[in-house]
Amino acid sequence: NEAWLMGFDTNIDRVPDEERSQIMTYASIDDSMLPLLGVDDVAYILPQDTFDSGDTIYFKLEDKNMIRKIIDCKDYYEFRAMNPYYPVLKYTKEELKEKNFIIIGKVIKVENKRAFK
Protein backbone atom coordinates (compact mmCIF):
# COMPACT_ATOMS: atom_id res chain seq x y z
CA ASN A 1 0.00 0.00 0.00
CA GLU A 2 1.52 3.31 -1.08
CA ALA A 3 0.09 5.23 1.87
CA TRP A 4 1.61 2.68 4.29
CA LEU A 5 5.00 3.09 2.62
CA MET A 6 4.73 6.85 3.14
CA GLY A 7 4.19 6.31 6.87
CA PHE A 8 0.43 6.72 7.13
CA ASP A 9 -1.57 4.55 9.54
CA THR A 10 -3.16 2.21 6.97
CA ASN A 11 -3.14 -1.48 6.17
CA ILE A 12 0.01 -2.79 4.50
CA ASP A 13 -1.96 -4.76 1.86
CA ARG A 14 -2.44 -3.07 -1.50
CA VAL A 15 -5.83 -3.13 -3.16
CA PRO A 16 -5.56 -3.46 -6.97
CA ASP A 17 -6.40 -0.24 -8.87
CA GLU A 18 -9.30 -1.80 -10.77
CA GLU A 19 -10.97 -2.82 -7.50
CA ARG A 20 -10.16 0.34 -5.54
CA SER A 21 -12.79 2.55 -7.19
CA GLN A 22 -15.53 -0.04 -6.59
CA ILE A 23 -14.92 -0.86 -2.94
CA MET A 24 -17.56 0.09 -0.36
CA THR A 25 -17.12 0.28 3.39
CA TYR A 26 -19.44 -0.87 6.15
CA ALA A 27 -19.07 0.03 9.83
CA SER A 28 -20.25 -2.93 11.86
CA ILE A 29 -23.18 -2.31 14.22
CA ASP A 30 -22.90 -5.53 16.24
CA ASP A 31 -20.37 -8.11 17.44
CA SER A 32 -21.75 -11.09 15.50
CA MET A 33 -18.50 -11.52 13.57
CA LEU A 34 -16.08 -11.23 16.51
CA PRO A 35 -13.13 -11.62 16.59
CA LEU A 36 -12.95 -10.63 12.90
CA LEU A 37 -15.26 -7.64 13.10
CA GLY A 38 -16.61 -5.86 16.17
CA VAL A 39 -18.80 -2.81 16.73
CA ASP A 40 -17.54 0.17 14.67
CA ASP A 41 -14.87 -1.93 12.93
CA VAL A 42 -14.82 -1.40 9.18
CA ALA A 43 -15.37 -4.04 6.52
CA TYR A 44 -14.32 -3.40 2.93
CA ILE A 45 -16.84 -4.80 0.48
CA LEU A 46 -16.28 -5.62 -3.18
CA PRO A 47 -19.71 -5.21 -4.79
CA GLN A 48 -20.95 -8.38 -6.46
CA ASP A 49 -24.20 -10.32 -6.66
CA THR A 50 -22.76 -13.84 -6.51
CA PHE A 51 -20.82 -15.86 -3.95
CA ASP A 52 -18.89 -19.07 -3.50
CA SER A 53 -19.61 -21.36 -0.58
CA GLY A 54 -17.37 -20.27 2.28
CA ASP A 55 -17.29 -16.58 1.30
CA THR A 56 -17.96 -13.92 3.89
CA ILE A 57 -20.61 -11.71 2.35
CA TYR A 58 -22.45 -8.48 3.07
CA PHE A 59 -26.14 -8.87 2.33
CA LYS A 60 -29.65 -7.67 3.04
CA LEU A 61 -32.28 -10.02 4.47
CA GLU A 62 -35.74 -8.70 5.36
CA ASP A 63 -34.43 -5.12 5.17
CA LYS A 64 -31.61 -5.83 7.64
CA ASN A 65 -27.97 -5.60 6.54
CA MET A 66 -25.63 -8.31 7.82
CA ILE A 67 -22.22 -9.86 7.33
CA ARG A 68 -21.96 -13.64 7.60
CA LYS A 69 -20.01 -16.57 6.17
CA ILE A 70 -22.32 -18.39 3.74
CA ILE A 71 -22.20 -22.15 3.27
CA ASP A 72 -24.04 -23.95 0.46
CA CYS A 73 -25.47 -27.16 1.97
CA LYS A 74 -27.20 -28.27 -1.28
CA ASP A 75 -30.81 -28.12 0.03
CA TYR A 76 -30.34 -24.94 2.07
CA TYR A 77 -27.83 -22.19 2.89
CA GLU A 78 -26.23 -21.58 6.26
CA PHE A 79 -25.32 -18.08 7.35
CA ARG A 80 -22.70 -18.37 10.07
CA ALA A 81 -21.62 -15.69 12.48
CA MET A 82 -18.13 -16.07 13.94
CA ASN A 83 -19.38 -15.22 17.42
CA PRO A 84 -20.77 -18.47 18.88
CA TYR A 85 -23.50 -16.58 20.75
CA TYR A 86 -25.27 -15.83 17.46
CA PRO A 87 -27.32 -18.64 15.93
CA VAL A 88 -26.60 -20.21 12.55
CA LEU A 89 -29.32 -19.08 10.15
CA LYS A 90 -30.60 -21.72 7.72
CA TYR A 91 -32.77 -20.94 4.70
CA THR A 92 -33.83 -22.69 1.51
CA LYS A 93 -33.71 -20.82 -1.80
CA GLU A 94 -37.46 -20.35 -1.61
CA GLU A 95 -37.26 -18.91 1.91
CA LEU A 96 -34.53 -16.50 0.80
CA LYS A 97 -36.74 -15.23 -2.03
CA GLU A 98 -39.59 -14.66 0.44
CA LYS A 99 -37.24 -12.76 2.76
CA ASN A 100 -35.96 -10.50 -0.07
CA PHE A 101 -32.36 -11.77 0.14
CA ILE A 102 -29.97 -9.47 -1.75
CA ILE A 103 -26.21 -9.99 -1.97
CA ILE A 104 -24.45 -6.63 -1.80
CA GLY A 105 -20.89 -7.88 -1.99
CA LYS A 106 -18.02 -9.93 -0.66
CA VAL A 107 -15.94 -8.90 2.34
CA ILE A 108 -12.36 -8.59 1.16
CA LYS A 109 -10.71 -6.93 4.14
CA VAL A 110 -11.47 -5.56 7.61
CA GLU A 111 -9.98 -2.96 9.92
CA ASN A 112 -10.30 -4.36 13.40
CA LYS A 113 -9.81 -1.36 15.69
CA ARG A 114 -10.75 -3.29 18.84
CA ALA A 115 -7.68 -5.50 18.54
CA PHE A 116 -5.50 -2.47 19.28
CA LYS A 117 -7.36 -1.05 22.31
Side-chain angles (χ1 to χ4, degrees), residues 41-94:
D41 289 341
V42 177
Y44 291 86
I45 314 295
L46 181 61
Q48 62 185 49
D49 58 3
T50 61
F51 65 88
D52 293 321
S53 185
D55 283 349
T56 300
I57 62 170
Y58 177 51
F59 61 96
K60 184 175 281 199
L61 187 66
E62 294 185 320
D63 297 323
K64 183 178 178 187
N65 292 357
M66 291 188 257
I67 291 179
R68 297 286 189 275
K69 180 178 285 283
I70 187 167
I71 307 295
D72 184 351
C73 297
K74 303 290 184 218
D75 297 330
Y76 60 93
Y77 294 101
E78 287 186 356
F79 295 83
R80 297 182 184 173
M82 292 183 75
N83 186 333
Y85 294 105
Y86 285 76
V88 174
L89 306 174
K90 296 179 184 182
Y91 299 109
T92 65
K93 287 182 182 180
E94 294 78 24

Side-chain angles (χ1 to χ4, degrees), residues 1-8 10-12:
N1 181 322
E2 294 90 344
W4 182 83
L5 287 171
M6 293 179 351
F8 291 100
T10 64
N11 193 304
I12 191 171

